[in-house]
């Protein structure tokens, strides 16, 4: 997450708790064992994927690996809070009522997984696989078509790709976000009187040493 005006990252999860605390709901997407081969055999650790959101325009995703499941989940929740981003919502057609879908087609990629979010008309719902559906719902989208390619069985990459696509909604500068254009005269027009004067060559001044 970024503090908007200074573009500095948030370093403490308690800051997110202060602003969004009561609204945030977290959900464990997956806990998977990962192993490292050692001389004594394998060393098993647990990797937790946690999504966090307020179902109204904010979403975060955290991944943490630890020896114990509870520690991994706790760490993933903290990292998810630190990665909370604002979500931009828009309309499919006429701008009637509250925004309900993605403002434009957006894409996110992680590993081989590519997720594309496409605006959908009101009442469509979230046409999606279970993993992106959870994330989109937490972000506050009501209607959205999705398209995914690659190894979507890799849940971690599938979730990260969806998160990247959701994050891209604010990265897209649409015309309605353009600042008003203030037209000024070109230098030729502004200084036309000066340029119209005939050029008189100044005599060289002699420099005496």
């Amino acid at each position: 997450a970024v503090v908007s005006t200074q573009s500095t990252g948030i370093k403490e999860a308690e800051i997110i708790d202060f602003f969004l605390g009561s609204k945030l709901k977290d959900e464990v997407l997956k806990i998977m064992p990962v192993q490292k081969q050692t001389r004594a055999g394998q060393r098993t650790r647990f990797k937790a994927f946690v999504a966090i959101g307020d179902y109204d325009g904010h979403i975060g995703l955290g991944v943490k690996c630890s020896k114990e499941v509870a520690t991994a989940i706790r760490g993933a929740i903290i990292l998810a809070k630190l990665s909370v981003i604002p979500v931009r919502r828009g309309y499919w057609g006429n701008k009637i009522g509250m925004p309900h879908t993605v403002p434009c087609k957006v894409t996110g990629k992680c590993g081989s997984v590519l997720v594309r979010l496409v605006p959908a008309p009101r009442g469509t719902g979230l046409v999606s696989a279970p993993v992106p559906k959870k994330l989109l719902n937490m972000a506050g989208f009501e209607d959205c078509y999705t398209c995914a390619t690659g190894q979507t069985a890799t849940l971690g990459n599938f979730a990260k790709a969806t998160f990247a696509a959701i994050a891209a909604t604010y990265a897209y500068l649409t015309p309605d976000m353009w600042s008003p254009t203030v037209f000024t005269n070109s230098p030729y027009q502004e200084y036309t009187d000066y340029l119209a004067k005939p050029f008189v060559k100044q005599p060289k001044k002699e420099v005496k040493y």
Side-chain angles (χ1 to χ4, degrees), residues 20-41:
L20 302 172
S22 57
K23 294 187 223 166
L24 285 178
K25 301 278 184 289
D26 54 72
E27 192 168 336
V28 178
L29 299 177
K30 189 180 185 181
I31 294 165
M32 58 185 279
V34 290
Q35 291 181 325
K36 178 184 178 181
Q37 191 70 35
T38 60
R39 277 185 297 181

Side-chain angles (χ1 to χ4, degrees), residues 136-156:
L136 291 167
N137 191 25
M138 280 186 157
F141 292 111
E142 293 164 34
D143 314 287
C144 187
Y145 291 127
T146 62
C147 163
T149 59
Q151 192 69 27
T152 53
T154 314
L155 187 140

Side-chain angles (χ1 to χ4, degrees), residues 183-195:
F183 293 104
T184 56
N185 292 332
S186 73
Y188 292 118
Q189 201 172 347
E190 200 170 330
Y191 302 107
T192 183
D193 297 335
Y194 175 77
L195 294 169

